[in-house]
Amino acid sequence: MIVESYDDLIVLSGALRSNFWHTVHTAISLALRRSPEGVVIDCSGITECNAAGADTFRDIQGFIERQNARVIVAAVPENVMLVLRQVEEVRSQLPIASSVEEARTSLYRLSDADEHDGKAKKKRPTKAISTRYLVCLLQSSSDGYALKLACEHAEMNHAALTLLAPVLVPRDLPLQSPLPDEEQAAVSSLEKAETVCEERDIVSEKVMERGRDIATMILDAVTETGVSQVFLPLPGSTDGFDVDSKLVKSVLGKVSLPLHFVRDQV
């Protein structure tokens, strides 16, 4: 087994017939220092893998959980996947992308959107701003109404906005699993909201969070950003009433800040 490391990429090649975790661990640790956003492990060059070799991936998964590290395994050959599927922890919890490109896109989705934005947006100073509100964007028809209300409050109180786009990860997938469509939708909603804030001269920051439920992601964002109020959109259709009720109860049970639940006009 050969282990190579380049910037944010670790390449495994050859036969994996024993546990190479110690070597891979060193490579991951060094790569994370170079690339704090995350690391991709390219497995396309692995020619074979037995049960002992599969322990390498079990240890990779354990490291991800212990360190909350952003590490994605990519391009695993089918013959290797057949072996990994026999290891329960690996089969159900290891984040795996179909290609290195897909893994990198997932790692850098939000930062790439900022860097390659043709508008060449400039960040405004935030030192004078002591008040901040959170706007949760759920890609629903009510997002615009929630953002509009939050902007009005921000203008009246000279506040900044934290724009949160949660990416819900199904419970049968590892938390770090790439979700290209959902991630792109989240980035698009953040960019649109940021444009609205710029037009109204409101300072804002974008956050894309991955998690199992909306309420927990809101609580995490509240804790990390120090916001004082939360604006949460709800679907405009009455068909979503049951879902709304569960979401409202869940958020009320976890977040003690002032909450604004905003519904689309129907």
Side-chain angles (χ1 to χ4, degrees):
M1 169 58 58
I2 299 174
V3 180
E4 303 170 85
S5 181
Y6 312 93
D7 297 324
D8 64 346
L9 183 66
I10 296 171
V11 180
L12 306 182
S13 56
L16 186 56
R17 303 193 188 99
S18 61
N19 191 339
F20 262 72
W21 166 240
H22 291 298
T23 302
V24 174
H25 181 205
T26 300
I28 291 175
S29 298
L30 293 174
L32 283 173
R33 292 179 187 175
R34 296 191 300 264
S35 176
E37 297 88 351
V39 173
V40 178
I41 301 179
D42 181 0
C43 299
S44 60
I46 299 179
T47 56
E48 64 176 285
C49 178
N50 59 15
D55 285 339
T56 304
F57 293 93
R58 178 190 279 119
D59 288 333
I60 291 174
Q61 171 55 30
F63 174 82
I64 293 173
E65 289 187 351
R66 291 191 306 274
Q67 303 297 325
N68 192 28
R70 191 80 166 103
V71 178
I72 300 178
V73 174
V76 182
E78 184 56 34
N79 64 314
V80 178
M81 281 301 304
L82 290 174
V83 178
L84 298 186
R85 290 189 185 108
Q86 305 305 311
V87 184
E88 183 176 353
E89 304 95 311
V90 173
R91 181 180 68 238
S92 61
Q93 299 177 34
L94 187 68
I96 300 177
S98 60
S99 66
V100 170
E101 292 74 17
E102 179 182 278
R104 273 184 167 148
T105 298
S106 181
L107 288 177
Y108 299 106
R109 178 79 71 175
L110 186 55
S111 58
D112 281 352
D114 286 334
E115 291 174 8
H116 297 104
D117 192 336
K119 297 178 183 178
K121 296 172 182 175
K122 296 181 180 179
K123 294 184 179 294
R124 299 189 203 85
T126 59
K127 290 183 179 179
I129 297 175
S130 58
T131 304
R132 184 176 292 273
Y133 305 143
L134 177 72
V135 184
C136 188
L137 304 171
L138 303 179
Q139 294 88 59
S140 77
S141 58
S142 298
D143 280 10
Y145 291 94
L147 179 61
K148 180 175 181 292
L149 181 61
C151 285
E152 291 173 353
H153 279 252
E155 288 172 337
M156 288 187 295
N157 298 291
H158 305 289
L161 297 182
T162 293
L163 308 171
L164 169 67
V167 175
L168 278 173
V169 182
R171 295 189 182 278
D172 61 339
L173 291 178
L175 188 58
Q176 302 294 356
S177 294
L179 298 170
D181 293 341
E182 292 82 353
E183 291 166 359
Q184 183 55 54
V187 169
S188 296
S189 67
L190 287 170
E191 291 176 338
K192 291 176 182 177
E194 184 183 45
T195 298
V196 171
C197 291
E198 289 182 337
E199 291 172 349
R200 301 184 69 151
D201 200 32
I202 297 172
V203 175
S204 66
E205 66 172 346
K206 305 193 299 287
V207 178
M208 186 168 68
E209 188 76 25
R210 304 167 65 86
R212 305 297 189 185
D213 67 271
I214 301 295
T216 299
M217 285 185 274
I218 291 176
L219 177 60
D220 290 343
V222 164
T223 302
E224 293 173 6
T225 60
V227 300
S228 58
Q229 297 186 44
V230 176
F231 295 79
L232 179 64
L234 298 174
S237 171
T238 55
D239 293 338
F241 179 77
D242 289 341
V243 176
D244 291 356
S245 298
K246 293 178 182 178
L247 177 58
V248 169
K249 289 179 181 178
S250 179
V251 174
L252 286 173
K254 293 187 177 182
V255 181
S256 58
L257 297 176
L259 297 164
H260 303 265
F261 295 100
V262 185
R263 186 186 294 280
D264 188 3
Q265 296 177 355
V266 294

